[in-house]
Amino acid sequence: MAAATEAPASITAEGPTSHTPNQDHPSVYVLMSRVMADVKNVAKNGRNASQNYNFRGVDDFIGALAQPLRDHGVVMLPEVLDFQPSVRGKMNAVHMRVAFHFIGPAGDKVTAITLGEASDVADKASNKAMSAALKYALLQTFMIPVDAGALDDGDRDHPVGQRSPADAYMERLRKPAVWNNVNALLGLHAEAKSDGLLNSTVSGPDGDIALGDLLVARGTELKAEAAQREERRAKEAPQVAAQVAAEHGVATTHDRADAPAKEDRDAHVQRLMAQVADAACWNSPDALRQIKGDAEAHHVFDEKVQGPHGAWMPMRTLVTVRITELEQAAEERNERNVA
């Protein structure tokens, strides 16, 4: 997310224009004073709920001035006078000096020059720097009324002024695909560590917290939830096994209690592989777990079998890898649905 500062506007009156002003129209100075009379108060209408503060953005100032400028025939044209890009860690930063020309119908003009600075993890640093420069050009050129304490410390409540490098991590962390994924959290933790930001204070769900502590706490929470799900699944396993046996024809433990005495190992492996090859079982993690339990109970889980592509491997490898593939596919679908 962006971090930007803005310098106060510098107002300079231009000299003679390249053509003779139309004397039938009032000067741009007169028209700008009329715009100032018409412009309304701009309060802190924006609200950043995640970090708990109000702000006034550039859109608020544009909205306040757009109609008065139209009413009095004043046109504004921006001109970038100086542009300096740089890199701050993994952030793209931009410093620029921008001239905003206010032109009246007579052809004369007034120019306000302001500075804009912003940083962004992607390609929006220039956009945000322009917005920062425009906000103060409009605010100070037209002396727009604002609420008390609005300008102290460079309008410190503006969201752009509140940004830090750690905020870019928080923006990524708030995405469901990251917040609900242990591996994504581990990757984010490693990146933050390499950038030296683990001790940076951020706004978490329960208040201010170090970025590293937030990542670790969330990862621990997800692991605990996964353990609870596994515990519930283990408790529900008998009911699931009975349902799978009824739907897919997989033998239950009770049905195969005397199997070793009645079948040789090869015949038992062939029977289980026939069940594995069935499309309904092959695409059902629960059915494959039931087959896994059968194979382990009869000590044939390490027997070599032929996989889908003709390669020979232990039945343990074939079944376990397939269960993992199905679970990962289900997680990816869930993440896409949430995102």
Side-chain angles (χ1 to χ4, degrees):
M1 301 177 71
T5 58
E6 301 121 327
S10 171
I11 310 301
T12 61
E14 294 288 334
T17 56
S18 58
H19 63 281
T20 303
N22 187 337
Q23 300 302 321
D24 294 333
H25 296 282
S27 72
V28 68
Y29 300 98
V30 172
L31 295 176
M32 289 177 68
S33 67
R34 294 174 182 175
V35 170
M36 292 174 64
D38 290 348
V39 72
K40 305 300 181 183
N41 172 71
V42 175
K44 295 181 180 180
N45 299 317
R47 176 69 178 172
N48 187 315
S50 63
Q51 295 184 334
N52 195 32
Y53 59 83
N54 298 328
F55 65 89
R56 63 175 57 79
V58 66
D59 290 346
D60 297 317
F61 290 96
I62 293 175
L65 277 163
Q67 194 58 49
L69 287 172
R70 292 189 184 98
D71 291 343
H72 297 289
V74 178
V75 176
M76 186 199 77
L77 296 176
E79 178 186 2
V80 176
L81 303 178
D82 185 58
F83 179 88
Q84 297 179 347
S86 60
V87 177
R88 299 173 179 171
K90 295 186 178 181
M91 306 280 282
N92 298 315
V94 167
H95 296 253
M96 63 173 61
R97 191 164 60 98
V98 186
F100 296 94
H101 305 292
F102 297 93
I103 306 169
D108 54 343
K109 66 180 179 180
V110 169
T111 297
I113 300 175
T114 57
L115 301 179
E117 176 183 349
S119 58
D120 190 80
V121 294
D123 59 352
K124 300 297 187 295
S126 296
N127 306 28
K128 294 174 180 177
M130 283 287 292
S131 295
L134 175 58
K135 173 189 167 183
Y136 267 82
L138 297 178
L139 171 64
Q140 296 192 353
T141 299
F142 293 96
M143 297 300 291
I144 299 174
V146 294
D147 55 327
L151 300 180
D152 54 330
D153 293 341
D155 197 11
R156 63 177 181 271
D157 289 334
H158 191 283
V160 172
Q162 291 285 325
R163 296 297 180 250
S164 72
D167 288 318
Y169 283 89
M170 289 301 298
E171 187 174 76
R172 294 164 60 188
L173 184 59
R174 292 188 185 100
K175 296 180 179 179
V178 177
W179 183 251
N180 298 311
N181 188 311
V182 173
N183 291 331
L185 293 173
L186 289 173
L188 207 60
H189 189 280
E191 289 185 41
K193 182 178 181 180
S194 67
D195 287 342
L197 297 174
L198 289 181
N199 293 324
S200 298
T201 300
V202 296
S203 180
D206 300 318
D208 290 346
I209 186 174
L211 175 60
D213 292 341
L214 177 59
L215 292 169
V216 171
R218 180 56 182 167
T220 301
E221 183 180 7
L222 289 177
K223 291 178 181 178
E225 291 174 356
Q228 291 174 358
R229 286 195 298 269
E230 287 297 323
E231 184 178 353
R232 287 196 301 270
R233 187 161 59 186
K235 291 180 180 179
E236 296 168 356
Q239 293 89 343
V240 173
Q243 182 178 354
V244 170
E247 294 177 357
H248 304 288
V250 180
T252 63
T253 303
H254 179 269
D255 294 334
R256 62 175 183 258
D258 298 327
K262 296 177 181 178
E263 304 172 342
D264 60 25
R265 295 174 64 85
D266 290 341
H268 196 68
V269 170
Q270 290 176 7
R271 181 173 66 82
L272 293 178
M273 286 304 297
Q275 295 172 1
V276 170
D278 181 77
C281 288
W282 184 248
N283 295 306
S284 170
D286 290 330
L288 292 174
R289 289 190 189 94
Q290 182 64 23
I291 292 171
K292 173 183 175 182
D294 187 315
E296 288 178 332
H298 290 85
H299 308 290
V300 296
F301 206 32
D302 291 315
E303 292 292 317
K304 290 289 185 69
V305 296
Q306 197 168 17
H309 304 293
W312 288 86
M313 64 188 72
M315 187 190 300
R316 178 186 303 277
T317 301
L318 175 65
V319 174
T320 303
V321 168
R322 181 57 181 168
I323 291 173
T324 301
E325 289 176 349
L326 293 173
E327 290 178 339
Q328 289 178 344
E331 289 181 2
E332 291 174 359
R333 286 194 298 272
N334 290 336
E335 289 178 2
R336 287 196 296 270
N337 291 337
V338 171

